[in-house]
Amino acid sequence: MASTLPRLGYRRAMMLGLLLVAAACAGMPLLQSFWATKLLFVTVGVCFALVKVSVYSSIGLLTGDAKAHAGLTSTVEGWFMVGILGSAWLFAAFINPDAPGDPVWLDVYWVIAGLCLGVVALLASARMDETAALDGHALGRSFLDMLRLLGRPLVAVFLVSAFLYVLMEQAINTWLPTFNREILHLPTTLSVQAAGIFAGSLALGRLGGGFLLRRVRWFPLLGGCVLAMALLVVLALPLAANVQPRADQSWFNAPAAAYVFPLIGLLMAPIYPTINSVVLSALPKARHAAMTGLIVVFSALGGTTGSFITGQLFAHFDGALAFYLLLVPMALLLCSLVLLDRSTRSPDAGLIPVGGGR
């Protein structure tokens, strides 16, 4: 789908994705069944590919150089995390604290459906020149271009880096509310709200990363972030040991780990948008959709793997151990960033466009 999106048009693809998500969200309170939830997950997954490929590819149409590309990519990802932070508080607001299983929380999907329709209206009134995205974009050749990109060492190293990063981010993002509830013994509503600290940290880190990347080279910044992440895990998780449940648990007396561990988002934040920008800014605009398609595929694989593995660890071992084991992909990510840096420094490692010059 990503390889042929330029022919559909990025703006139209975003509108289509949002309309489908709005319909799936409306089905949640109307149907109130588990199969409707599974249908929502499938719809959001497919539409995420539509929207993310379109957004990332549009960045190349709206910027003129690599620094501007990196800055705008980081800013976009920052606002993405603002949305996740807002969703944590939005869902928490619809949960009945006296009966968390009360299906009244499903009414939140009416709000989300309305927001989707609002963005569709904004996109319908927007204008963007997408001519450069169609340059040399012959039908049937686009998918082959995407596969050819896999053969380039720089792309291969980047995809490994993206896989490892998203594995860690989704492992934390998906299971942090469970960690708050089962390990820190926070009430259900507070567990969801406290998980928003992680999303807020990612948002601030990415918005700040866009500023820093205009002044420092990307590799020292990202390498330092990975090392600081590992240090924070080692220092923060012991704070969760031997926490006892309290009847009057609130924001004012929550365990320190509820505040400290989610701050890892500040350090993780610049990594993903920066490595994406490093690769995309080396490609002609007509190939951004194909490359973003690979980003979405490997990011989805990383996110699914991270959520699944962490869930299994939560089910069979202590939740703190599940987060301690994130040190393994952190070490692997640091190694892949070193290789990515060497690849970008190599004089013959540039991404030569398929079928023509730069």
Side-chain angles (χ1 to χ4, degrees):
M1 184 164 53
S3 65
T4 57
L5 269 187
R7 302 187 67 84
L8 172 63
Y10 298 142
R11 190 171 61 92
R12 286 194 291 269
M14 286 185 271
M15 294 170 65
L16 174 62
L18 288 163
L19 286 171
L20 291 174
V21 170
C25 285
M28 287 292 287
L30 292 175
L31 301 172
Q32 296 194 18
S33 62
F34 185 52
W35 72 265
T37 305
K38 292 187 283 186
L39 177 63
L40 174 68
F41 286 164
V42 171
T43 305
V44 170
V46 171
C47 295
F48 183 81
L50 274 172
V51 174
K52 183 168 183 176
V53 171
S54 299
V55 169
Y56 263 57
S57 302
S58 298
I59 292 173
L61 301 176
L62 300 171
T63 56
D65 55 50
K67 283 189 174 182
H69 193 287
L72 183 54
T73 303
S74 189
T75 301
V76 167
E77 285 286 343
W79 282 106
F80 176 78
M81 297 316 302
V82 169
I84 291 182
L85 172 62
S87 72
W89 285 83
L90 182 63
F91 271 79
F94 280 80
I95 294 174
N96 183 348
D98 298 321
D102 187 343
V104 68
W105 69 272
L106 290 170
D107 289 339
V108 71
Y109 286 103
W110 290 118
V111 178
I112 299 174
L115 291 171
C116 289
L117 294 177
V119 178
V120 169
L122 287 174
L123 286 169
S125 63
R127 294 292 178 267
M128 182 171 64
D129 184 5
E130 301 183 25
T131 307
L134 289 168
D135 183 25
H137 206 280
L139 186 63
R141 179 176 132 185
S142 304
F143 187 71
L144 292 177
D145 287 353
M146 183 185 293
L147 296 181
R148 290 190 187 103
L149 288 173
L150 286 170
R152 301 194 178 276
L154 178 60
V155 174
V157 173
F158 158 76
L159 292 175
V160 171
S161 302
F163 175 89
L164 291 169
Y165 171 83
V166 178
L167 184 151
M168 292 186 295
E169 182 185 299
Q170 287 302 311
I172 297 173
N173 195 47
T174 304
W175 289 98
L176 191 55
T178 305
F179 176 82
N180 290 337
R181 189 182 70 246
E182 296 185 0
I183 307 302
L184 302 183
H185 306 292
L186 300 181
T188 302
T189 301
L190 185 57
S191 296
V192 176
Q193 290 174 339
I197 299 174
F198 177 65
S201 297
L202 281 170
L204 288 174
R206 284 179 179 167
L207 294 172
F211 175 80
L212 290 174
L213 286 166
R214 291 181 172 89
R215 288 158 176 78
V216 299
R217 194 169 169 273
W218 70 268
F219 177 70
L221 176 64
L222 300 195
C225 285
V226 175
L227 293 174
M229 285 162 52
L231 181 62
L232 183 61
V233 167
V234 173
L235 295 177
L237 288 182
L239 298 174
N242 302 317
V243 173
Q244 300 300 318
R246 297 179 54 171
D248 61 340
Q249 198 76 268
S250 68
W251 279 104
F252 301 103
N253 56 18
Y259 297 99
V260 177
F261 181 69
L263 294 179
I264 194 173
L266 284 171
L267 303 169
M268 297 180 70
I271 298 174
Y272 187 68
T274 302
I275 60 176
N276 287 340
S277 182
V278 166
V279 172
L280 286 173
S281 60
L283 281 168
K285 295 174 182 178
R287 297 295 172 257
H288 282 199
M291 186 66 234
T292 307
L294 293 177
I295 292 172
V296 171
V297 169
F298 280 81
S299 297
L301 290 174
T304 303
T305 304
S307 296
F308 178 77
I309 292 175
T310 308
Q312 292 300 310
L313 291 171
F314 264 87
H316 297 94
F317 301 99
D318 180 74
L321 174 64
F323 283 159
Y324 268 121
L325 290 177
L326 289 174
L327 292 171
V328 176
M330 285 180 195
L332 295 174
L333 177 60
L334 184 59
C335 293
S336 66
L337 289 177
V338 171
L339 294 175
L340 185 63
D341 180 52
R342 290 179 180 176
S343 297
T344 56
R345 286 173 174 267
S346 174
D348 58 347
L351 292 172
I352 306 301
V354 179
R358 177 69 188 273

